[in-house]
Amino acid sequence: MIIAPQWIGDAVMTEPLMRRLQARGERLTVGALPWVAPVYRLMPQVAEVIELPFAHGGLQLKARRSLARQLSGRFDVAYVCPNSLKSALLPLLAGIPKRVGYLGEARVGLLTHRLKNPPKAQRPPMVAFYSALSGAADSGNDRPQLQLNPVEVDIALAALGLQRGAYDVFAPGAEYGPAKRWPTRHFAELARRLELPVVLLGSAKERDLCREIADLVNADQPGKCRNLAGETSLAQAFSVIGAAKCLVSNDSGLMHVGAALGVRQVALFGSSSPLHTPPLNDRAAVLWLKNDASYQPPLDCAPCFERECPLGHTRCLVDITADRVLLNM
């Protein structure tokens, strides 16, 4: 049993771990929160996905004990991807004899096989971090791969009135905060200059953000931008990304989905680092002013990994122009 991370991007980055475990003969069941579970349905190595009935916050011991009783006796090994204490409780309560995970949050007694959690400054890229749970020492070149069902893609596109390769996708949100988001006015400027129509994707919480972009563009070019944020299932959003000509996004979960689907993409980094969570895709262009020697003055503040710019200017993203993105599409 694999206890999945709670974020879409992190879930994508566990795919090489699934491949490694399945290749040595392990039958994989993934326990995932409902908003992450669709990612694992695009991994053929995963035999079963169990949607965990847990909410954010609290240990929810009653719910965990109830599910643990149902799972008791089914598994020989558990791999716990998150670092939290509560993520390690279900395998313990279910009596899974071998429980593998990283040290953290007082989990010494919850795990039987413990990996040292490297300091943040020395932490490897997240894909290798997760792959190491398999015991592999050669995970530096692992790349996530997701597989869409072509029939399901066609059904999703037909339901949304879209055609393969006839649109670009923007994913302007980033769950962590505004310091990871390219300005909406920049997205709008880019959309105006593209030949193809633009589909905006995101969660329901990002609907207003996407509406702002669509309104700016459609005021001059009616119908150029279509806001589907909060209007699709996650599975439909995956199909829309997989059939797009190009994806433009911040460092977000949908960025990693696009990379794992092999879609042409431009990934915009500001407060975070492509050295830690890059889009592992040969067709990806990464724009990060931190490593641009021609950009002055240098961004000594990046990456800050803050939700909001501590200096109040967010120039790490503001100064990435639509021209520059266009050149990389």
Side-chain angles (χ1 to χ4, degrees):
M1 184 175 195
I2 295 92
I3 303 298
Q6 64 176 338
W7 304 110
I8 291 172
D10 283 75
V12 172
M13 289 186 282
T14 66
E15 188 276 336
L17 169 64
M18 306 300 149
R19 239 185 301 147
R20 287 177 175 275
L21 298 178
Q22 194 258 358
R24 67 191 190 198
E26 300 190 31
R27 183 186 185 277
L28 309 182
T29 293
V30 173
L33 295 168
W35 55 88
V36 170
V39 175
Y40 290 97
R41 297 190 176 104
L42 300 187
M43 299 183 191
Q45 306 90 348
V46 175
E48 180 185 14
V49 179
I50 297 173
E51 294 197 11
L52 302 178
F54 309 137
H56 280 303
L59 293 180
Q60 301 163 77
L61 280 174
K62 183 177 179 180
R64 292 180 197 275
R65 285 196 181 101
S66 176
L67 181 56
R69 284 193 292 270
Q70 298 174 45
L71 300 178
S72 180
R74 286 191 55 191
F75 303 101
D76 299 312
V77 186
Y79 300 92
V80 184
C81 294
N83 277 337
S84 65
L85 182 147
K86 63 183 179 181
S87 65
L89 285 174
L90 183 63
L92 175 71
L93 295 171
I96 300 175
K98 182 178 178 180
R99 303 181 298 277
V100 183
Y102 282 95
L103 284 169
E105 281 201 10
R107 304 199 309 177
V108 172
L110 304 184
L111 301 170
T112 61
H113 293 68
R114 300 175 289 273
L115 283 70
K116 288 185 178 179
N117 220 324
K120 285 187 178 181
Q122 300 173 22
R123 185 168 294 181
M126 286 304 294
V127 170
F129 181 78
Y130 288 127
S131 289
L133 291 172
S134 70
D138 59 341
S139 56
N141 294 319
D142 282 0
R143 291 188 166 205
Q145 299 171 17
L146 299 179
Q147 296 185 27
L148 289 167
N149 182 320
V151 174
E152 292 178 2
V153 174
D154 289 339
I155 291 171
L157 295 182
L160 296 168
L162 297 171
Q163 294 184 342
R164 288 178 182 268
Y167 59 89
D168 294 306
V169 167
F170 289 179
E175 184 73 23
Y176 189 68
K180 290 180 73 174
R181 297 181 195 141
W182 200 42
T184 54
R185 66 182 184 277
H186 288 5
F187 273 110
E189 181 184 350
L190 178 63
R192 291 190 194 101
R193 298 175 60 182
L194 294 176
E195 293 183 8
L196 294 178
V198 171
V199 175
L200 299 165
L201 290 179
S203 67
K205 292 186 290 185
E206 293 159 346
R207 185 182 288 122
D208 289 344
L209 176 73
C210 291
R211 183 185 296 121
E212 182 181 340
I213 296 167
D215 287 349
L216 287 170
V217 177
N218 292 337
D220 300 324
Q221 302 176 44
K224 181 69 178 289
C225 267
R226 185 174 173 191
N227 181 10
L228 292 182
E231 302 295 326
T232 69
S233 67
L234 193 55
Q236 285 177 315
F238 293 167
S239 291
V240 172
I241 291 172
K245 181 183 178 185
C246 186
L247 168 68
V248 179
S249 73
N250 303 309
D251 174 18
S252 66
L254 294 185
M255 177 197 76
H256 290 290
V257 169
L261 292 174
V263 175
R264 176 77 187 124
Q265 67 184 138
V266 181
L268 307 163
F269 280 77
S271 63
S272 57
S273 168
L275 303 178
H276 185 52
T277 54
L280 295 170
N281 177 3
D282 290 336
R283 304 181 71 199
V286 173
L287 298 183
W288 194 39
L289 293 178
K290 169 71 174 183
N291 62 4
D292 181 353
S294 68
Y295 178 74
Q296 297 295 324
L299 279 171
D300 296 331
C301 54
C304 67
F305 298 107
E306 298 290 341
R307 292 182 182 274
E308 298 192 22
C309 176
L311 303 177
H313 52 61
T314 321
R315 64 185 179 94
C316 57
L317 287 168
V318 170
D319 288 352
I320 299 177
T321 65
D323 276 339
R324 187 162 187 168
V325 176
L326 192 60
L327 285 172
N328 285 276
M329 290 185 69

